[in-house]
Amino acid sequence: MSRYLDMVDQPAHLKKLKLDQLQQLAGEVREELITKLAKGGGHLGPNLGVVELTIAMHMVFDTPRDKFVWDVSHQSYVHKLFTGRKARFGTIRQTDGLNGFSLRTESEHDCYGAGHAGTALSAALGMCAARDQRKSGENVVCVFGDAALTNGISYEALNNIAHTTRKFIGILNDNEWSIAKNVGAIAGYLNQIITHPRYNRLRKEFEALLRRLPAGEITSKLGIKAEEAIKAVAAEVSLKHKPASPDADGRGGSGSSLIFEEMGLRYLGPIDGHDLPLLIRTLEFAKHCDEPIVLHVLTQKGKGYDVAIKHPEKFHGLGPYDITTGNTPPSKPGTAPAYQDVFGAAMVRLCQKDTTLVGITAAMPSGTGLKALEKALPQRYYDVGIAEEHAVIFAAGMATMGFHPVVAIYSTFLQRAYDCIHHDVCLQDLPVIFCMDRAGLSANDGPTHHGLFDIAYLRCLPNVIAMAPKHEDELVDMMFTCSLQKHPTFIRYPRGAAEGVPIKESPALLEIGKAEVTRHFANTGGRKVALFGLGNLHSMAKQTAETLAAEGFDCAVINPRFTKPLDAGAHEFFGNAADIVVTFEDHALTGGYGSAVLELFAEKHLTTPVVRIGWPDQFIEHATTVDYLRKKHGLTVENAVAQVKATSPATDAVKLAAVS
Ligand SMILES: Cc1ncc(C[n+]2csc(CCOP(=O)(O)OP(=O)(O)O)c2C)c(N)n1
């Protein structure tokens, strides 16, 4: 039997379908998501939750003229299916396939790219301001999750909407989950609204009214009713009851503390985000409203797929899975543990011995591995929500009181907290420990998630001690070493499996700024090559040395360990002793570790040629595997060998020129 989905490839096709057909389409879309993502993985749960919402949005609005701005945009798969990308949907997050997030270059229906949380409200408001400036009249619809309300930027935008425009449509997609269960006061507040008995009764009345009224009357009557509903319970549902003050001037006081209303936004809802006719009618109303609106819709993450409903955290985003069981393939026997798990286990061990250590995550307990600490020592664990800036300043505050807070964070998300690293941590020289996971590629996610810039953005800051372990045992040594420092410390390590080396019973204390020589020159008389392999690329440096040695080169391999302070002595020694130096880093070449080596050589007037292996000065695309991208961009043993061979040891000629 043919499916409605087979007939739908553009928003205009959707608009031809009747309500019952659209409802059938919703089921087909869910099936498409579940079957297609089973092969390559993706953000299944969030997308299953927004099927009806996305259909309703496309029924009421007209992209690309109207603009849909998705927060994070991991929930935009259904939108992709309806906007000319259905045939390529099976390629999502794969090499040369669709991106897993909104991408302006992928479709004219993607008006704004994202991958980091909390940006949608500001971007949408910017579009509204531009529209008002040019009087072009398009609708801007912003979809943001309940977890976006743990993020500071969202409030900066909410605070600014009513002052900026009269027409703004925000949709709060509330499923009570971030990746993990959502945290904090706002989550509790939204939950109060949803569960309040009186509100629920009024909500039912509100929904019944929507159903009864013909579309034309909705705009005039609904507003009044909605407001009544809100005001009636606002006194009971509030973040905090404030005593009414005589000079409240009609604002404030316990009767008007509903947060969106306080910000000058008309609040509608909460409504059932899976009730398609209700969604369509409410969005019609929103479309004709001449004041900024926040529509609160309640959705279920994983809707329509039992295992995803039962395990919302796992199905937020995952790799390939078995459709019947939802099981993901077990890792092959002998696979090394993931860095995040080594980190989590080490945190528990270190925290048990050192009471000054605590762990902080910004809504990433599983991804960072800090969940292990939550389980073992919950009182030493903090999930602050998607609030990276707050996480860093919160850590700075604890550090002023004698603690060693460990901020477990992805390299890419730490970028948001750059000023806090500078102004709060480094300037005050506070002993905050940053454990930066995903430093390197996040292949399927792509450029929003690759962690390729942290060496560059950290090494210019005074007081920073920054390092990268060559394997998991050294990661634990580094964590232990950091716990004994009186300065800001940063450890970068990549996504995925570590090297598979055993972890010592007791971690070693490393000397700050000291490199480790892992292979010495053999003095064979061959051309001398010193290979500095940073972090996870140390093994590539070793393999390159083996290949070069087999061809008659005399190779030394150094594990630099520290990108700041650099081991000036070791770099200078090998810079002098070698004919060619090679640096390896899983980081952008611009401003990275190899750049630091070049700066040092310039200072020391060392003219030894330096071959740098790392990521080129461009945003690296997404792909199925890290290996594919490394090959494409030259982070390989073969390229390193070829570059060494192509580099003439200019030292003699340069030295002669310098003498004459
Ligand atoms: C700045 C930043 N920090 C962390 C993340 C990781 N992250 C991706 S989605 C997500 C949760 C989003 O929850 P919500 O907005 O409520 O949407 P839902 O998935 O529940 O639909 C998080 C924490 C991110 N993308 N950006």
Side-chain angles (χ1 to χ4, degrees):
M1 205 183 88
S2 70
R3 306 178 302 170
Y4 289 109
L5 185 57
D6 298 327
M7 297 181 240
V8 172
D9 199 28
Q10 290 294 332
H13 304 152
L14 265 184
K15 291 187 169 82
K16 293 197 177 121
L17 298 181
K18 298 199 183 70
L19 192 59
D20 59 330
Q21 297 171 326
L22 289 171
Q23 267 156 341
Q24 195 170 321
L25 175 74
E28 294 168 4
V29 167
R30 289 208 162 87
E31 204 182 303
E32 182 81 356
L33 290 170
I34 294 165
T35 49
K36 287 275 160 67
L37 298 184
K39 287 198 189 98
H43 287 105
L44 180 61
N47 282 287
L48 288 172
V50 296
V51 175
E52 287 82 7
L53 178 62
T54 313
I55 294 176
M57 285 164 64
H58 277 292
M59 290 301 288
V60 174
F61 300 98
D62 292 304
T63 60
R65 181 177 146 70
D66 290 333
K67 313 290 174 204
F68 292 172
V69 188
W70 307 89
D71 200 58
V72 188
S73 79
H74 63 307
Q75 75 292 60
S76 65
Y77 293 12
V78 187
H79 168 71
K80 287 185 192 242
L81 284 173
F82 297 156
T83 50
R85 288 169 273 184
K86 194 181 57 186
R88 296 180 63 212
F89 190 67
T91 68
I92 197 161
R93 293 163 59 86
Q94 310 294 316
T95 304
D96 295 328
L98 295 180
N99 192 272
F101 301 96
S102 292
L103 203 59
R104 281 168 61 80
T105 49
E106 192 178 278
S107 166
E108 60 177 348
H109 296 270
D110 287 6
C111 63
Y112 201 79
H116 289 200
T119 62
L121 285 157
S122 296
L125 183 57
M127 289 177 196
C128 291
R131 172 205 56 207
D132 296 349
Q133 287 279 348
R134 64 183 195 186
K135 301 189 174 31
S136 45
E138 56 273 57
N139 293 289
V140 180
V141 183
C142 169
V143 180
F144 59 102
D146 48 296
L149 292 179
T150 61
N151 183 276
I153 314 175
S154 296
Y155 292 95
E156 294 169 31
L158 286 170
N159 181 50
N160 194 221
I161 293 172
H163 295 278
T164 306
T165 187
R166 290 185 62 77
K167 208 158 170 46
F168 180 97
I169 302 166
I171 300 176
L172 165 56
N173 171 32
D174 183 359
N175 55 27
E176 296 184 67
W177 285 80
S178 183
I179 292 179
K181 189 81 181 160
N182 202 9
V183 295
I186 292 294
Y189 171 69
L190 294 176
N191 188 265
Q192 271 191 61
I193 294 181
I194 297 163
T195 52
H196 194 280
R198 185 134 165 246
Y199 207 101
N200 269 327
R201 187 169 53 74
L202 285 159
R203 184 182 124 205
K204 286 204 180 85
E205 284 176 15
F206 167 70
E207 290 184 4
L209 181 85
L210 261 175
R211 283 181 212 289
R212 273 201 317 273
L213 288 176
E217 277 181 60
I218 288 180
T219 40
S220 56
K221 295 207 178 154
L222 179 67
I224 303 157
K225 264 288 184 201
E227 231 152 67
E228 277 169 16
I230 291 155
K231 294 280 144 51
V233 289
E236 292 164 60
V237 181
S238 64
L239 263 180
K240 190 174 172 207
H241 286 273
K242 293 177 277 179
S245 88
D247 57 357
D249 195 21
R251 291 167 51 82
S254 59
S256 57
S257 54
L258 203 68
I259 192 161
F260 301 108
E261 294 276 315
E262 291 282 356
M263 292 193 181
L265 310 170
R266 175 178 281 192
Y267 169 90
L268 293 178
I271 67 167
D272 178 353
H274 301 298
D275 183 334
L276 191 54
L278 180 64
L279 281 168
I280 294 174
R281 294 200 133 213
T282 314
L283 286 176
E284 277 294 350
F285 169 69
K287 185 173 161 181
H288 294 105
C289 245
D290 63 354
E291 61 187 320
I293 273 196
V294 170
L295 169 63
H296 187 178
V297 301
L298 307 181
T299 59
Q300 185 178 39
K301 231 167 167 163
K303 174 89 175 167
Y305 189 32
D306 278 350
V307 277
I309 293 171
K310 275 196 202 112
H311 306 285
E313 193 165 351
K314 172 177 171 188
F315 280 86
H316 171 87
L318 77 172
Y321 52 89
D322 179 277
I323 296 176
T324 325
T325 60
N327 291 339
T328 42
S331 47
K332 291 185 194 118
T335 308
Y339 270 106
Q340 70 205 48
D341 296 330
V342 174
F343 162 78
M347 266 305 279
V348 173
R349 275 170 60 200
L350 291 171
C351 284
Q352 277 160 346
K353 292 208 172 117
D354 181 346
T355 54
T356 70
L357 288 170
V358 295
I360 300 167
T361 176
M364 304 297 287
S366 312
T368 59
L370 205 62
K371 212 181 173 75
L373 184 68
E374 182 189 17
K375 269 202 194 129
L377 296 168
Q379 72 285 8
R380 306 272 288 284
Y381 164 87
Y382 298 89
D383 180 352
V384 299
I386 312 177
E388 288 79 9
E389 292 145 294
H390 166 59
V392 173
I393 304 177
F394 173 75
M398 287 198 82
T400 64
M401 306 277 280
F403 281 83
H404 276 92
V406 177
V407 180
I409 195 159
Y410 288 9
S411 163
T412 186
F413 300 145
L414 187 57
Q415 287 162 193
R416 177 157 294 174
Y418 190 59
D419 181 58
C420 318
I421 296 171
H422 160 266
H423 168 270
D424 298 273
V425 177
C426 293
L427 185 55
Q428 303 190 86
D429 202 9
L430 294 171
V432 177
I433 301 163
F434 293 86
C435 288
M436 300 181 293
D437 198 328
R438 278 29 172 204
L441 288 194
S442 244
N444 302 118
D445 289 318
T448 52
H449 283 59
H450 298 326
L452 298 179
F453 306 106
D454 53 88
I455 298 177
Y457 70 66
L458 292 172
R459 78 181 182 86
C460 55
L461 293 176
N463 296 331
V464 161
I465 301 173
M467 59 200 90
K470 66 178 182 300
H471 54 45
E472 60 268 46
D473 186 44
E474 198 167 74
L475 168 64
V476 182
D477 291 346
M478 286 181 173
M479 290 169 68
F480 173 64
T481 302
C482 289
S483 73
L484 301 174
Q485 302 308 309
K486 294 193 165 65
H487 309 281
T489 49
F490 298 81
I491 312 173
R492 75 186 311 264
Y493 47 93
R495 176 180 195 149
E499 302 287 323
V501 302
I503 292 174
K504 295 185 294 290
E505 192 59 38
S506 303
L509 177 62
L510 303 176
E511 189 179 336
I512 299 296
K514 195 88 191 129
E516 173 199 31
V517 181
T518 57
R519 175 184 175 127
H520 290 274
F521 287 132
N523 294 321
T524 55
R527 189 177 293 168
K528 282 192 156 59
V529 185
L531 302 116
F532 289 83
L534 181 71
N536 57 326
L537 290 202
H538 188 72
S539 56
M540 192 184 286
K542 271 181 24 192
Q543 287 167 38
T544 307
E546 279 157 27
T547 311
L548 286 170
E551 299 193 30
F553 288 85
D554 186 4
C555 296
V557 182
I558 304 101
N559 167 22
R561 276 190 183 144
F562 294 86
T563 52
K564 184 167 186 168
L566 267 192
D567 186 338
H571 286 84
E572 198 179 349
F573 172 81
F574 283 100
N576 270 315
D579 297 307
I580 299 169
V581 164
V582 189
T583 61
F584 294 82
E585 61 193 304
D586 197 0
H587 185 276
L589 285 175
T590 309
Y593 162 64
S595 292
V597 172
L598 286 176
E599 284 171 20
L600 181 83
F601 281 15
E603 270 169 33
K604 305 284 179 192
H605 307 293
L606 268 172
T607 52
T608 313
V610 179
V611 169
R612 291 180 303 147
I613 302 293
W615 295 98
D617 186 16
Q618 68 189 73
F619 286 109
I620 306 301
E621 67 272 41
H622 73 277
T624 312
T625 62
V626 168
D627 277 352
Y628 169 84
L629 289 168
R630 282 191 182 172
K631 261 192 199 116
K632 181 170 175 186
H633 293 285
L635 282 85
T636 58
V637 171
E638 295 71 36
N639 182 39
V641 168
Q643 287 211 46
V644 167
K645 286 184 183 168
T647 305
S648 45
T651 38
D652 291 346
V654 173
K655 275 173 191 162
L656 278 175
V659 170
S660 60

